[in-house]
Amino acid sequence: MMRSYFILAMCVLFLIQYFVQSEWLLYILAVFASVAFMGSLTLARTVPRVFSILMFIAGVVLTGLKGQGLDAIAQGITSNIPLLTLLVLVPLLSIPFKMGGFFDSILIYLRRYQNKPGKMFAGITVVLFFLGPILNLGSIRIVHELLKDLRLNAAFLSKAYLVGFSTTILWSPYYAAVGVVLLYLHVSIGSYMAYGFGIAVLFLLIGNVMFGLWAKRNKLETNYNESGAITLDHRKRMKLLPVVIIALMLITIAAEYVTHWSMLVLVSLLALVFPLLWCMFSKQWGIFKHQIIEYRDKAVPVMNNEIIMYISAGFFGQSLKGSSFGQGIQVFMNQLSQTSFLLFALFIMITMVCITFVGIHQVVVVTVLATQMDPVTLGTSKEILAMVLMLAWSASSILSPVNPINLLVSNLVKRTSIDVGIRDNGLYLLIVSAIGLCILTLFH
């Protein structure tokens, strides 16, 4: 419990420091981040732990070799704290949806299509497309919990979960992957969404068309229990749900345009304010208290891998700036881009997939590359470069047998990580990646 309070205090301290811009608050935040890093090391998995320790040590050494002092160390250690704050606070957005009974209504509507695989697949992917930004991996858990009694085909679920959630990774301002890319490339969410949302919708449509062909070829049939009655309350909730989600997105985009504050800060503030406002209007204080306790005890303490990887990767990425190694990366990427932008984008994707395949988090690759690449020098725009990184992040999340998304789905559907990533979704990823790279090269 105390550890959860400490992590939450670190997030609040970051938000205060963002507006105050005090040097001594930055040092305190660096101390908090260092303590959180050390405290999470023993609780994290082996591979993230080893790489995090190596990156943290490398960050200290490189910063020292450049002759920089405590200021640079504090800046490096805290560089990814905005992302951690987003990651820690965004689950709070799910509380109003739980209190409002939206998940029960989703189940009732999905059960209507239990004898129609194509519509069921479309329903699951669309639900994940919109809930994924707010619930993160929790959206897959919740949908699976709603559908577990239907005894759906394992390959069907594997395809539905990963097609639906992988598209979320491409566009959501509430997802840390988008946050880290936009942070380092200094891209506004408004300009990015034109690309991210459009490509995500295209991939969602492609996934559904490919599933239709797969279901017809495999003669997929369903035969399950009758669904429950759809009441007036369920209809009201299902009409209100997209309105609330779209309103949250528009508020975020509009607030960034007006205030010019960091998107990560705006989403974090929204995650704090939205549940409180919902509770004030609904007067469900008892349920709200229970949800907060559950969030404190279950959601916050399990972020050990993310804490150590984000802090160490941020420190390492910042320490590379101005180093000969960092300059070497710049020269190589610039030459590759000038030779062929398609080859450059393909290199980023293959590199991301290979590195995550052995258990290294995507944030390491993105932090290192994004801190060393200049879109102008590469001959492209910030938005296109951001989309290339996000396309690689999305593909590697599905293919890597040790990525949390792949592992979660494989555990839920009782199939191996290789089956889930390559056998069930490999062809889909190959097609959408090829289409995505061609589109980005054309716009480039």
Side-chain angles (χ1 to χ4, degrees):
M1 186 186 297
M2 289 304 298
R3 188 167 171 276
S4 295
Y5 285 131
F6 181 84
I7 294 170
L8 290 170
M10 179 180 69
C11 296
V12 173
L13 181 62
F14 158 71
L15 293 174
I16 295 171
Q17 197 275 333
Y18 178 82
F19 293 105
V20 175
Q21 291 294 311
S22 167
E23 187 176 352
W24 64 271
L25 271 181
L26 177 65
Y27 285 128
I28 295 175
L29 184 60
V31 171
F32 267 68
S34 300
V35 172
F37 177 82
M38 297 301 176
S40 299
L41 273 177
T42 55
L43 302 172
R45 296 199 311 269
T46 303
V47 173
R49 184 192 309 143
V50 171
F51 278 99
S52 295
I53 292 173
L54 291 175
M55 286 191 294
F56 198 92
I57 293 172
V60 174
V61 171
L62 287 172
T63 303
L65 289 175
K66 291 189 294 183
Q68 297 174 322
L70 287 177
D71 282 348
I73 291 176
Q75 291 282 356
I77 291 174
T78 59
S79 60
N80 272 351
I81 295 300
L83 296 163
L84 273 180
T85 302
L86 177 77
L87 199 68
V88 171
L89 296 182
V90 155
L92 288 170
L93 289 171
S94 68
I95 291 178
F97 296 98
K98 293 177 182 177
M99 293 169 61
F102 289 98
F103 300 143
D104 296 330
S105 300
I106 289 172
L107 171 61
I108 293 295
Y109 268 83
L110 286 178
R111 283 182 178 237
R112 291 180 66 188
Y113 306 121
Q114 55 191 325
N115 296 315
K116 300 174 182 177
K119 291 186 176 180
M120 174 66 85
F121 188 89
I124 294 172
T125 54
V126 170
V127 165
L128 290 175
F129 184 84
F130 285 106
L131 286 187
I134 293 169
L135 303 179
N136 205 321
L137 284 178
S139 61
I140 299 177
R141 291 184 183 277
I142 287 172
V143 170
H144 188 76
E145 190 68 23
L146 297 176
L147 300 176
K148 65 180 181 180
D149 295 333
L150 300 183
R151 302 186 304 279
L152 294 167
N153 180 281
F156 167 91
L157 289 175
S158 170
K159 291 174 180 291
Y161 292 162
L162 288 176
V163 167
F165 193 81
S166 65
T167 52
T168 289
I169 299 173
L170 292 172
W171 71 275
S172 167
Y174 300 155
Y175 195 72
V178 175
V180 68
V181 172
L182 301 192
L183 174 70
Y184 284 115
L185 295 182
H186 306 290
V187 181
S188 71
I189 187 60
S191 62
Y192 174 81
M193 285 285 279
Y195 293 93
F197 190 79
I199 290 180
V201 170
L202 174 63
F203 286 6
L204 190 67
L205 292 173
I206 292 172
N208 276 270
V209 170
M210 289 185 65
F211 169 77
L213 297 174
W214 176 83
K216 187 177 294 185
R217 187 171 62 250
N218 289 274
K219 296 181 172 59
L220 188 66
E221 296 179 358
T222 54
N223 184 23
Y224 305 114
N225 299 324
E226 291 298 318
S227 60
I230 298 177
T231 65
L232 183 60
D233 285 340
H234 289 311
R235 289 193 177 93
K236 286 181 179 178
R237 290 190 197 117
M238 291 305 292
K239 289 178 181 177
L240 181 60
L241 180 61
V243 173
V244 173
I245 293 175
I246 292 171
L248 290 174
M249 298 295 174
L250 292 177
I251 288 170
T252 304
I253 295 171
E256 185 193 46
Y257 179 78
V258 172
T259 64
H260 300 291
W261 295 347
S262 165
M263 182 270 297
L264 301 173
V265 171
L266 289 168
V267 173
S268 299
L269 291 173
L270 187 63
L272 293 172
V273 173
F274 178 56
L276 286 172
L277 290 176
W278 186 280
C279 195
M280 287 174 61
F281 284 102
S282 66
K283 308 295 184 184
Q284 297 173 299
W285 293 106
I287 300 175
F288 180 70
K289 181 180 178 182
H290 171 75
Q291 291 293 336
I292 289 293
I293 292 173
E294 191 174 73
Y295 161 78
R296 180 197 66 190
D297 295 342
K298 294 182 180 179
V300 179
V302 299
M303 299 183 181
N304 303 300
N305 298 314
E306 289 81 1
I307 288 173
I308 63 173
M309 290 299 286
Y310 276 65
I311 291 175
S312 60
F315 190 14
F316 181 58
Q318 292 298 318
S319 69
L320 284 176
K321 287 184 176 180
S323 69
S324 57
F325 181 61
Q327 290 170 350
I329 294 175
Q330 284 182 352
V331 171
F332 173 74
M333 300 305 285
N334 290 342
Q335 289 177 345
L336 195 61
S337 178
Q338 289 166 11
T339 302
S340 167
F341 183 80
L342 181 60
L343 184 64
F344 164 80
L346 196 59
F347 172 79
I348 289 179
M349 177 166 285
I350 293 173
T351 301
M352 187 93 76
V353 169
C354 291
I355 289 179
T356 54
F357 211 85
V358 297
I360 304 174
H361 199 283
Q362 294 100 321
V363 71
V364 177
V365 186
V366 169
T367 300
V368 171
L369 293 180
T371 52
Q372 310 308 316
M373 293 191 300
D374 179 11
V376 176
T377 308
L378 291 169
T380 189
S381 67
K382 295 185 292 185
E383 291 78 11
I384 293 294
L385 184 55
M387 274 308 312
V388 169
L389 290 170
M390 289 315 308
L391 190 59
W393 191 309
S394 178
S396 60
S397 296
I398 297 178
L399 288 175
S400 171
V402 290
N403 187 273
I405 298 171
N406 184 306
L407 285 174
L408 172 62
V409 173
S410 63
N411 287 333
L412 292 176
V413 303
K414 304 295 186 281
R415 286 170 69 83
T416 67
S417 297
I418 297 296
D419 283 343
V420 164
I422 297 176
R423 184 170 297 174
D424 294 343
N425 294 283
L427 181 60
Y428 163 74
L429 281 178
L430 183 64
I431 290 174
V432 296
S433 296
I435 292 173
L437 290 176
C438 289
I439 291 173
L440 294 176
T441 302
L442 181 65
F443 277 102
H444 156 78

